[in-house]
Amino acid sequence: MTKKKRVAILISGRGSNMASLIEAARAPDYPAEIVLVASNRPEAAGLDRARAAGIPAVAIDHKAYATRMAFEAKLHTTLLDAGIDLICSAGFMRMLTGGFVDRWRNRQLNIHPSLLPSFPGLDTHARALSEGVKIHGCTVHFVRLEMDTGPIIAQAAVPVVAGETADSLAARVLEAEHVLYPHALRLVASGAVAVENDEIVTKAADLAAAQQRPPRPLVWPPVRIEARI
Ligand code: GRF
């Protein structure tokens, strides 16, 4: 296998997606290794969770920096020092400026709890319910300056069921996220998908290799997708 991509995960909170990436990357044939976790919030529970899994975890407290750019400069050099190839943002709640986004263009992934381009931003589950959508889900995409935009790498659909609440929907979407993110990172790290002219292109040979171990069906719960009425 070609050299594994060195991945840093950016978090701000509990880090359940981070944990799913760390777990997936333990597989010998996984094309990426998680070498660093960084949080802008020192109190993020995910930091201890990463350390317990044996991954170096650092807090870079954005409040300790006078400007957004000074914070990002520190983050950038930390990533360079660790020899990072790819960044996975996973519940990282800090807006990034164009300088940082450009430096990591097509090398930074993010997971968002909706089927983008629907419901960018916060409170996605409550908004999806109040709009009455029947299919919700989650998206992994490359990061661009505008929040929750960028070429889409993979999505998982989560049907809305009777009696749904924002919490029940969030729980099922999160379960889907934990399968989707390792799948999407595998696609990128293996070279099965890449960005050309700001669009996702799939490389057939690599795709076959990357999908040797298919994830569980990307529909939660695994049902046949039909018209939802
Ligand atoms: C996830 O729902 C993710 O999609 C969103 O923030 C949440 C982070 O959860 N961006 P966790 O920290 O990974 O548990």
Side-chain angles (χ1 to χ4, degrees), residues 8 20 27 38 49 57 64 75 119 127 132 134 140 178 198 205 221:
S20 75
R49 207 166 169 181
L75 179 59
F119 309 116
R127 286 160 58 210
K134 304 300 182 206
V140 177
H178 295 162
D198 222 30

Side-chain angles (χ1 to χ4, degrees), residues 4 26 33 46 59 66 94 96 111 122 139-140 142 151 194 224:
K4 288 179 186 244
R26 289 190 200 287
E33 55 183 331
R94 192 87 192 135
L96 294 164
I111 187 154
L122 299 175
T139 302
V140 177
F142 284 106
R224 265 183 60 203

